Amino acid sequence: GLPFFEDPRAMVNTFLRNATKKYGARYIFTFNFYPYFDPANLPDPGTNDRCVLALARSTCLHAGDCNVVASTALARAKIRLLTGSAHD
């Protein structure tokens, strides 16, 4: 769904749209980012038992290519699409 997941069994986008319309700025979004579950995490090239690169990308917090930083930016962009507010 755009911006959040939507299907008949999990109408996340509908719920968030209704909640933000009803509660406005009082509605608070919370996220738990678990980058180590990212299916893009693979063993290091040439190995099948080392994941130094994936761990580095999953635990850093200082650059745009860090998983948590990128996921946070994407979540904020989706919230802005949902609410139409640059302040969210």
Side-chain angles (χ1 to χ4, degrees), residues 35 56-64 66-69 72:
R57 189 175 57 252
S58 295
T59 58
C60 70
L61 297 171
H62 56 76
C66 297
N67 191 303
V68 172
V69 175
T72 302

